[in-house]
């Protein structure tokens, strides 16, 4: 069995800022590496003024554009999680049972024991690695089951964004939720549906 990589920050629910900062730093480093490669590919046509390098310059420009979009997406997801961690208390929830795996880094899980009232949650791993095996015992969760939340995985420290899997089917419950729950979800930015495809 492969040993899990321990996060360079506390993963016991006390240091979500460390997790967020690590995610932002990783995203910026990844962008810097890609931008250095694609930037050179794009700029070389202006420096050499050689027309036959145009295809390489186009690839460089497109690569740079995609890199900027990915960086923007990473920072947006970190900001979403930050709002959730600042709005809700962080509590340990478990066990977490994975029910299905979707494309890329998306997954579906159920938090709690069989027969619990917790809805099935759809989620995305901000690191892009899918469902982390170390999260099966439980995660540090900040949010509301009806509206969604953010989670920090013990040991590996991965950040997860989750929301009810059957969003339309739980819309009546959200509409009839107490005013304070709705206000908190609005403050946390989870009152409306969030597409996980861009995570």
């Amino acid at each position: 069995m492969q040993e899990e990589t321990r996060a360079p920050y506390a993963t016991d629910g006390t240091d979500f800022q460390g997790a967020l900062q690590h995610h932002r730093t990783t995203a910026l480093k990844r962008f810097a590496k890609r931008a250095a490669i694609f930037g050179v590919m794009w700029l070389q046509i202006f420096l050499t003024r050689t027309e036959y390098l145009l295809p390489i310059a186009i690839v460089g420009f497109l690569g740079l554009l995609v890199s900027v979009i990915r960086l923007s997406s990473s920072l947006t997801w970190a900001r979403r999680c930050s709002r959730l961690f600042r709005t809700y208390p962080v509590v340990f929830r478990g066990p977490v049972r994975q029910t299905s795996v979707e494309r890329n880094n998306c997954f579906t899980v159920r938090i709690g024991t069989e027969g619990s009232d917790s809805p099935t949650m759809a989620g995305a791993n901000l690191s892009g690695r899918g469902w982390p095996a170390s999260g099966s015992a439980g995660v540090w969760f900040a949010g509301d089951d009806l509206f969604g939340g953010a989670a920090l995985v013990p040991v590996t420290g991965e950040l997860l964004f989750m929301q009810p899997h059957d969003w339309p089917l739980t819309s009546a419950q959200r509409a009839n939720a107490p005013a304070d729950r709705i206000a908190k979800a609005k403050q946390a930015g989870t009152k409306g549906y969030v597409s996980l495809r861009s995570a």
Side-chain angles (χ1 to χ4, degrees), residues 87-122:
T87 306
Y88 293 99
V90 180
V91 295
F92 189 78
R93 301 275 303 275
V96 182
R97 184 170 53 89
Q98 182 181 359
T99 58
S100 71
V101 180
E102 297 175 27
R103 290 186 316 162
N104 301 332
N105 57 343
C106 298
F107 52 82
T108 306
V109 295
R110 181 176 287 281
I111 302 175
T113 56
E114 281 292 334
S116 67
D117 293 336
S118 178
T120 301
M121 304 289 273

Side-chain angles (χ1 to χ4, degrees), residues 1 21 23 46 63 80 103 107 110 112 118 131 138 158 163 169 181 191 193:
M1 187 174 176
Q21 187 57 45
H23 175 75
F46 300 105
R80 284 185 189 280
R103 290 186 316 162
F107 52 82
R110 181 176 287 281
S118 178
W131 174 251
E158 291 163 282
Q163 62 188 4
L169 295 179
R181 282 181 78 177
K191 190 171 180 290
Y193 176 76

